[in-house]
Amino acid sequence: MHTDLLDLCRQMRQDILEMIHAAGSGHPGGSLSCVEILATLYFDVMRVDPDKPDDPNRDRFLLSKGHAAPALYCALAHKGFFDRSLLSTLRSLGSPLQGHPHMSSLPGLDCSSGSLGQGLSIANGLALAAKKQRRDYRAYCLMGDGEVQEGQVWEAAMTAAQFGLDNVCAIVDNNGVQLDGTTAEIMNVEPLGDKFRAFGWHVVGVDGHDIKALQLAFQLAATTKGRPTAIIAQTVKGKGVAFMENLCAWHGKAPNQEELAAALAEIK
């Protein structure tokens, strides 16, 4: 399984770059940084079935950092929610693969996103519903580290702890770089782990590109009772492509043909 997931991650990175290049726009940096997180969730952790996308007992996934939609679309396509040929239509007029996820356009999406800071609140609502309906599904919410500068995130953090939502798992894609600089320069969010702990959360720190470590972190989250879990995943913006890594310039820029060829050669 571990080897299979590594191969999947390589393919997802290639798909992400090709689809953003074809679209002429998109967000490669933050999409590449969360590949291992999504691959681990969809292919090893979450209870989801592409043949039953609306199963009321399925686990829920909320991509709060909606600009990383290319990575989520790749995970859904490889899982079988829709044909992979659709990936090449990213951001095209009439395509269900919009620049940010739109849940009524595509099977497998549990929320629309793009306006940052809202995903954890939605995860809380789904988790509260599960508790009241006596269902055992879990709600996983992936956020960006720049996103946690939003005040609503911390209101949601208080809420999840207040109601003991142990079926909520927040994952922070902590790559240290946002739209036009580092998070440390723009609005320092550290120490993230200590902040979530102060809000009453169980916290797990992990290398966000280490699949085995991610698998263990999600197991710890699932077995923690009485409080929500935050997984602080240390990642690299633009992971896998040397000339994109740790550079805010690649937050929302499509590679040209020469850059695409160089990136694909490196990933292979």
Side-chain angles (χ1 to χ4, degrees), residues 84-187:
R84 284 179 60 196
S85 64
L86 269 179
L87 293 177
S88 63
T89 70
L90 175 71
R91 291 180 169 234
S92 298
L93 183 64
S95 170
L97 306 187
Q98 299 187 18
H100 294 76
H102 184 239
M103 67 179 295
S104 65
S105 299
L106 201 65
L109 294 179
D110 291 311
C111 81
S112 300
S113 60
S115 184
L116 295 174
Q118 298 178 358
L120 189 56
S121 296
I122 299 171
N124 286 346
L126 290 168
L128 278 167
K131 296 280 190 184
K132 290 186 177 297
Q133 296 169 3
R134 301 187 183 278
R135 298 186 186 275
D136 65 352
Y137 66 77
R138 298 178 58 75
Y140 295 88
C141 177
L142 179 60
M143 300 181 288
D145 50 355
E147 179 181 6
V148 300
Q149 295 163 347
E150 301 269 3
Q152 183 175 343
V153 170
W154 299 104
E155 294 178 23
M158 283 190 288
T159 300
Q162 176 70 25
F163 291 100
L165 299 181
D166 49 18
N167 52 349
V168 166
C169 180
I171 310 104
V172 180
D173 183 3
N174 199 27
N175 61 41
V177 182
Q178 54 191 109
L179 173 63
D180 55 359
T182 66
T183 54
E185 295 168 335
I186 294 169
M187 183 63 68

Side-chain angles (χ1 to χ4, degrees), residues 226-248:
R227 54 182 175 155
T229 293
I231 296 175
I232 312 299
Q234 297 300 133
T235 60
V236 175
K237 189 103 168 182
K239 175 67 174 178
V241 182
F243 65 83
M244 291 184 178
E245 290 187 351
N246 296 312
L247 294 176
C248 65

Side-chain angles (χ1 to χ4, degrees), residues 13 27-38 61 63-65 67-68 71 141-148 170-178 183 189-190 192 196 206-209 214 230-239 251:
R13 285 195 164 88
H27 296 81
S31 296
L32 293 171
S33 67
C34 64
V35 165
E36 282 82 7
I37 296 169
L38 288 171
F61 177 75
L63 182 67
S64 196
K65 47 174 281 180
H67 54 279
C141 177
L142 179 60
M143 300 181 288
D145 50 355
E147 179 181 6
V148 300
I171 310 104
V172 180
D173 183 3
N174 199 27
N175 61 41
V177 182
Q178 54 191 109
T183 54
V189 297
E190 296 295 348
L192 268 180
F196 273 99
V206 68
D207 178 345
H209 302 301
L214 285 165
I231 296 175
I232 312 299
Q234 297 300 133
T235 60
V236 175
K237 189 103 168 182
K239 175 67 174 178
H251 175 85

Side-chain angles (χ1 to χ4, degrees), residues 184-206:
E185 295 168 335
I186 294 169
M187 183 63 68
N188 192 12
V189 297
E190 296 295 348
L192 268 180
D194 289 344
K195 289 175 181 175
F196 273 99
R197 287 187 191 95
F199 277 74
W201 286 58
H202 171 232
V203 176
V204 182
V206 68

